[in-house]
Amino acid sequence: MFDLILFAMFPGARMLLYAFPLIVVVSLVYGATRHELWPAILKHAWDTAVWILGFMGVVFLVILIAGWSL
């Protein structure tokens, strides 16, 4: 029930479901190109995923604020 309400409020929310697997894969591949041991790969992948999510959040806020001002 909550999913229906959420998707009704944000019609583009389903498209965000594609972003999370992409972020995981990109982070793991990027970490693996820098390191060879799994602990180092996972640490680097986590840092990269946090950076990507932060960047996406900032871009979202800029677009949201720009949409309010128009």
Side-chain angles (χ1 to χ4, degrees):
M1 180 72 173
F2 179 72
D3 292 339
L4 294 175
I5 295 171
L6 181 66
F7 290 139
M9 290 172 51
F10 304 108
R14 286 187 185 259
M15 292 177 60
L16 283 176
L17 296 177
Y18 293 111
F20 294 115
L22 286 173
I23 291 170
V24 170
V25 169
V26 167
S27 299
L28 284 172
V29 169
Y30 187 70
T33 60
R34 304 285 180 201
H35 305 286
E36 292 184 6
L37 300 175
W38 272 105
I41 291 171
L42 294 177
K43 169 75 170 91
H44 196 108
W46 174 256
D47 293 342
T48 304
V50 169
W51 185 88
I52 290 172
L53 286 172
F55 183 77
M56 286 175 61
V58 169
V59 170
F60 172 76
L61 286 176
V62 167
I63 292 172
L64 184 69
I65 292 170
W68 279 342
S69 65
L70 294 178

